[in-house]
């Protein structure tokens, strides 16, 4: 038998590499990363498949793509091009000496456990390990293609965005894009230059602007005070009520109902309970008549497609932007493990030696931000610095989390069981590894930093303030200061201050009314006398 590894990580995308880096930091050095693609960095490396497209920029802002102990170079744009992200990840791998542990062109075909050891079979050989970490990503070789029968009648070309390169240069075609997502928006913006593009969205979708001003990423307009009040005092419903289209000074008033103002695209779910498209470029194009919106498809006859609106048009190409099947694509694993619910979306409860990183879908922020904290926890569990609860406790918590998730994301849950609220989820994981700073202590020792953390844009750097490494703490403080000074963070701060005055006003008015009522009750006559006296003075 060849070497037995402590841990084999499957996938050299950023989630796999985060896990590797944190294992090395926890002194687990007998590790290997195996990946079937020719080069590391998963989808962010355009030489791999699947990967980003030539024109891809991130939809998550630079803040949420930042690794907590490895800042972007100064001057990085708010929504970097994929080549910038790749260079950033390459520098990260160099800085933390990750390359020697990575092996490419290894396609894993089966992973089975025998005698407490995982046997990893690949087309190029067999590997053995005590632990397995799956990091095969949410964009993979299993495109999700709709199964409605009418698609079989279509006589034009059918493609999934996975094969976009095959149609990216077509001209003068009628193209129907099926699905509302960041990808469908990006590809519609490209294809519309030379073709007629229609987008069909069946169950509605929220559209959120990527920016306020040019250097003000919209996803940064959120802070810890807002998070605390929304989650603990008001509820998400409060925010939804305040997005009402008839009230000035709110999202739907300025962006149209459900962020688009398109009747047939109205999502049934509220703002903070949905997955959004993080760009409104196509809404502009729809207003110019360049892109056509449609809802569900009713029927297809040859190339003629009839929509639920009753419109029928002829199309040359259907482009499915309907996502991927993330977990069911892990076909090298036992189906029971693959299909089971995981504890906090990471741990298979009945066997803690197999773990999953990067399979969550935060409705805002980014996947890498979440997989970084997940991998910190995984590394602590593997190195025995953190213990997991008992199997029963994990199963109980899974059932509870599942129920909460279905209530919180009613429109997305069936299709996307891994959709999460990134802020609550991050806090939950950070708590498990003791990464939440002692805010009370901070209040008394460094009130300025405390204030910046509370009112500045919500950020992941806060969870490095407890770190054993002084260097990492210093990087975190520098990042928190930079974020606090950004224009969008200031807007979040002003909003909180405005809220404060608004409620203070009502509170003071309430106290005054109570005071008056109290006195009126105590001495009705005296108040009446007083008013009469005042009035008589005015009459004179
Ligand atoms: C166009 C595009 C834009 C995106 N923009 C954003 C964004 O702005 N914000 C955001 O948060 N996310 C974005 N994403 C999602 C992106 O997937 C994540 O940001 C992140 O790259 C996920 O990293 P990962 O390591 O989990 O997965 P991946 O990068 O997908 O890496 C998984 C790796 O596993 C390997 N693998 C899979 N199966 C096997 C097997 N059987 N054997 C061996 N190796 C295997 C693959 O080869 C791959 O290298 C975007 C994705 C695309 C395609």
């Amino acid at each position: 038998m060849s070497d037995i590894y402590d841990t084999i990580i499957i996938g050299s995308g950023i989630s796999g590499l985060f896990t590797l880096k944190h294992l090395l930091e926890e002194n687990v050095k007998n590790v290997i990363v195996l990946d079937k693609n020719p080069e590391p960095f998963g989808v962010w490396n355009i030489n791999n498949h699947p990967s980003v497209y030539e024109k891809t920029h991130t939809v998550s802002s630079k803040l949420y793509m930042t690794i907590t102990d490895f800042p972007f170079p100064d001057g990085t744009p708010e929504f970097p091009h994929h080549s910038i992200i790749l260079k950033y990840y390459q520098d990260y791998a160099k800085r933390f000496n990750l390359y020697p542990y990575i092996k490419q062109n290894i396609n894993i075909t089966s992973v089975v456990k025998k005698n407490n050891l995982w046997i990893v079979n690949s087309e190029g050989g067999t590997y053995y390990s005590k632990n397995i970490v799956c990091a095969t990503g949410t964009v993979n070789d299993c495109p999700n293609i709709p199964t409605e029968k009418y698609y079989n009648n279509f006589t034009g070309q059918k493609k999934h965005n996975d094969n976009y390169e095959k149609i990216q240069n077509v001209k003068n075609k009628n193209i129907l894009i099926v699905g509302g997502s960041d990808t469908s928006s990006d590809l519609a913006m490209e294809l519309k230059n030379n073709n007629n593009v229609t987008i069909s969205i069946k169950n509605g979708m929220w559209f959120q602007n990527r920016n306020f001003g040019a250097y003000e990423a919209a996803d940064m307009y959120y802070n810890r005070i807002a998070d605390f009040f929304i989650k603990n005092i008001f509820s998400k419903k409060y925010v939804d009520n305040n997005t009402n289209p008839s009230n000035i000074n709110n999202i739907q008033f300025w962006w149209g109902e459900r962020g688009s103002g398109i009747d047939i695209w109205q999502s049934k779910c509220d703002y903070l309970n949905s997955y959004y498209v993080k760009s409104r470029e196509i809404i502009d194009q729809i207003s110019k008549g360049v892109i056509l919106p449609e809802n569900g498809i009713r029927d297809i006859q040859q190339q003629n497609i009839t929509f639920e609106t009753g419109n029928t048009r002829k199309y040359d190409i259907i482009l499915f932007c309907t996502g991927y099947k993330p977990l069911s694509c892990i076909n090298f694993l036992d189906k029971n493990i693959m299909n089971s619910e995981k504890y906090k979306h990471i741990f298979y409860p009945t066997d803690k030696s197999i773990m999953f990183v990067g399979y969550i879908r935060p409705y805002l922020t980014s996947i890498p931000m979440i997989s970084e904290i997940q991998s910190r926890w995984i590394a602590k569990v593997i190195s025995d610095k953190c213990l997991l609860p008992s199997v029963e406790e994990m199963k109980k918590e899974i059932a509870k989390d599942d129920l909460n998730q279905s209530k919180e994301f009613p429109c997305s849950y069936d299709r996307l069981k891994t959709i999460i609220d990134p802020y609550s989820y991050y806090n939950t994981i950070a708590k498990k590894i003791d990464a939440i700073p002692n805010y009370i202590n901070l209040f008394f020792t460094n009130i300025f930093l405390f204030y910046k953390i509370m009112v500045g844009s919500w950020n992941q750097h806060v969870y490095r303030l407890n770190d054993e490494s002084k260097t990492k703490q210093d990087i975190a403080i520098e990042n928190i200061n930079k974020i606090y000074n950004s224009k969008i963070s200031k807007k979040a701060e002003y909003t909180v201050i405005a809220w404060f005055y608004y409620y203070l006003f009502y509170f003071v008015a309430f106290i005054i009314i109570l005071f008056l009522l109290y006195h009126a009750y105590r001495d009705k006559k005296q108040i009446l006398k007083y008013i009469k006296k005042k009035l008589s003075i005015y009459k004179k």
Side-chain angles (χ1 to χ4, degrees):
M1 190 188 287
S2 52
D3 289 348
I4 298 172
Y5 290 97
D6 264 325
T7 303
I8 291 181
I9 300 166
I10 303 172
S12 66
I14 194 59
S15 303
L17 298 189
F18 280 149
T19 312
L20 168 64
K21 184 255 190 185
H22 291 119
L23 279 170
L24 297 178
E25 282 187 345
E26 298 295 349
N27 261 324
V28 180
K29 309 246 178 210
N30 187 16
V31 189
I32 191 165
V33 180
L34 305 175
D35 195 301
K36 66 179 175 185
N37 258 308
E39 294 180 23
F41 313 109
V43 296
W44 291 102
N45 190 330
I46 203 158
N47 297 328
N48 290 335
H49 183 91
S51 80
V52 287
Y53 311 102
E54 267 168 41
K55 295 193 177 136
T56 299
H57 284 249
T58 63
V59 289
S60 312
S61 68
K62 167 177 68 174
L63 164 60
Y64 297 117
M65 294 300 283
T66 307
I67 304 168
T68 51
D69 53 359
F70 193 71
F72 272 107
D74 285 343
T76 304
E78 286 311 311
F79 293 94
H81 185 249
H82 65 80
S83 55
I84 298 178
I85 300 292
L86 177 63
K87 169 84 176 50
Y88 176 56
Y89 288 164
Q90 286 167 336
D91 291 345
Y92 177 74
K94 265 187 226 144
R95 161 73 183 78
F96 294 100
N97 195 26
L98 306 183
Y99 282 108
Y101 299 86
I102 310 172
K103 221 169 167 179
Q104 298 298 143
N105 294 310
I106 307 283
N107 185 17
I108 308 300
T109 48
S110 81
V111 175
V112 283
K113 196 166 189 184
K114 265 194 197 144
N115 305 328
N116 278 333
L117 214 55
W118 288 100
I119 303 167
V120 177
N121 292 307
S122 77
E123 281 155 9
T126 302
Y127 301 80
Y128 302 89
S129 179
K130 292 181 201 153
N131 298 293
I132 296 290
V133 178
C134 290
T136 53
T138 53
V139 176
N140 49 36
D141 289 336
C142 304
N144 182 33
I145 311 265
T147 51
E148 283 87 351
K149 286 208 177 100
Y150 47 64
Y151 286 115
N152 298 336
N153 304 341
F154 187 64
T155 50
Q157 277 191 68
K158 280 182 281 183
K159 290 272 175 278
H160 187 273
N161 60 272
D162 198 45
N163 300 119
Y164 176 62
E165 68 282 356
K166 299 212 170 107
I167 58 159
Q168 68 182 346
N169 296 321
V170 294
K171 285 195 177 131
N172 304 321
K173 301 282 182 207
N174 291 332
I175 301 176
L176 173 67
I177 297 183
V178 174
S181 62
D182 296 309
T183 305
S184 70
S185 287
D186 283 353
L187 300 189
M189 288 303 289
E190 270 185 55
L191 290 168
K192 64 130 176 79
N193 295 331
N194 298 313
N195 305 281
N196 302 313
V197 173
T198 302
I199 303 184
S200 152
I201 300 180
K202 201 161 59 174
N203 296 319
M205 179 58 77
W206 274 88
F207 288 80
Q208 170 169 303
N209 251 10
R210 208 168 278 189
N211 291 305
F212 289 11
Y215 305 109
E216 300 171 35
D219 61 4
M220 289 175 67
Y221 182 62
Y222 196 66
N223 58 23
R224 250 161 246 274
I225 297 265
D227 193 56
F228 176 81
F229 276 88
I230 290 166
K231 307 274 170 67
N232 299 296
I233 313 266
F234 297 129
S235 89
K236 284 187 170 183
K237 203 77 205 147
Y238 167 86
V239 179
D240 296 328
N241 291 342
N242 278 286
T243 63
N244 190 317
S246 56
N247 287 345
I248 199 161
N249 208 9
N250 69 60
I251 335 168
Q252 292 197 70
F253 184 89
W254 295 106
W255 294 355
E257 294 92 335
R258 289 0 210 168
S260 73
I262 298 167
D263 291 344
I264 52 172
W265 281 3
Q266 305 273 316
S267 164
K268 288 190 194 72
C269 284
D270 287 328
Y271 186 56
L272 290 181
N273 301 87
S274 303
Y275 192 83
Y276 340 111
V277 173
K278 291 161 214 77
S279 145
R280 299 182 70 257
E281 285 171 316
I282 62 166
I283 307 300
D284 260 2
Q285 298 303 322
I286 288 168
S287 73
K288 292 176 188 165
V290 174
I291 292 177
L292 295 179
E294 280 293 352
N295 57 0
I297 294 173
R298 193 185 291 164
D299 191 28
I300 300 181
Q301 293 300 328
Q302 295 171 334
Q303 283 180 254
N304 295 314
I305 302 184
T306 306
F307 298 95
E308 292 295 349
T309 49
N311 298 327
T312 301
R313 283 185 217 94
K314 194 174 175 194
Y315 290 92
D316 304 296
I317 299 172
I318 297 181
L319 176 62
F320 295 110
C321 291
T322 39
Y324 295 82
K325 300 175 191 163
L327 283 165
S328 52
C329 205
I330 311 178
N331 51 9
F332 48 78
L333 264 185
D334 183 303
K335 285 228 165 2
N336 287 330
I337 303 178
M338 196 179 76
N339 294 329
S340 71
E341 305 273 353
K342 315 288 179 307
Y343 177 60
K344 303 296 170 200
H345 301 289
I346 302 174
F347 299 99
Y348 176 53
T350 40
D351 185 347
K352 72 160 202 167
S353 67
I354 183 149
M355 288 145 267
F356 298 80
V357 59
Y359 295 96
I360 26 57
R361 294 298 293 269
Y363 66 80
L364 270 180
T365 68
S366 81
I367 295 176
M369 179 190 93
I370 301 288
S371 61
E372 189 190 3
I373 189 87
Q374 287 185 323
S375 67
R376 284 172 69 186
W377 190 15
I378 288 174
K380 287 201 185 291
V381 168
I382 291 178
S383 61
D384 286 331
K385 296 205 173 118
C386 255
L387 288 179
L388 290 176
S390 69
V391 175
E392 276 62 41
E393 277 171 313
M394 283 198 265
K395 284 188 175 167
K396 244 192 233 163
E397 218 166 316
I398 289 172
K400 203 170 111 199
D401 288 350
D402 208 37
L403 185 67
N404 287 343
Q405 221 168 353
S406 63
K407 282 189 194 154
E408 195 171 352
F409 301 106
C411 292
S412 316
Y413 173 76
D414 282 342
R415 194 175 51 86
L416 214 59
K417 285 216 183 303
T418 51
I419 186 167
I420 51 156
D421 174 321
Y423 315 104
S424 308
Y425 182 81
Y426 206 106
N427 268 317
T428 306
I429 310 289
K431 215 171 178 179
K432 307 275 182 201
I433 58 168
D434 240 347
I436 301 198
N438 184 335
Y439 292 122
I440 297 173
N441 197 20
L442 200 62
F443 179 83
F444 288 109
T445 52
N446 191 343
I447 191 156
F448 294 114
L449 185 63
F450 174 85
Y451 179 77
K452 287 173 189 174
I453 290 172
M454 292 300 147
V455 301
S457 295
W458 191 101
N459 67 77
Q460 66 275 35
H461 301 291
V462 170
Y463 304 92
R464 283 287 185 189
L465 292 173
N466 267 0
D467 211 283
E468 286 163 11
S469 146
K470 173 85 174 65
T471 320
K472 290 192 204 306
Q473 289 179 16
D474 291 345
I475 296 174
I477 293 173
E478 201 183 319
N479 279 326
I480 292 165
N481 280 325
K482 257 193 206 160
I483 292 161
Y484 173 72
N485 288 325
S486 68
K487 282 188 191 172
I488 187 72
S489 181
K490 292 276 174 206
K491 275 190 182 160
E493 179 186 10
Y494 297 149
T495 308
V496 164
I497 293 172
W499 264 10
F500 176 75
Y501 283 123
Y502 178 81
Y503 286 105
L504 187 67
F505 171 80
Y506 281 109
F507 180 71
V508 171
F510 178 70
I511 297 291
I512 291 172
I513 290 168
L514 269 188
F515 178 82
L516 290 175
L517 283 176
Y518 172 72
H519 281 275
Y521 178 76
R522 254 189 29 178
D523 197 341
K524 271 188 267 177
K525 279 184 194 161
Q526 224 172 354
I527 289 211
L528 283 173
K529 243 195 242 165
Y530 175 79
I531 294 172
K532 270 184 197 161
K533 200 172 138 194
K534 281 277 166 202
L535 285 175
S536 63
I537 293 170
Y538 284 116
K539 273 182 194 162
K540 275 179 197 166

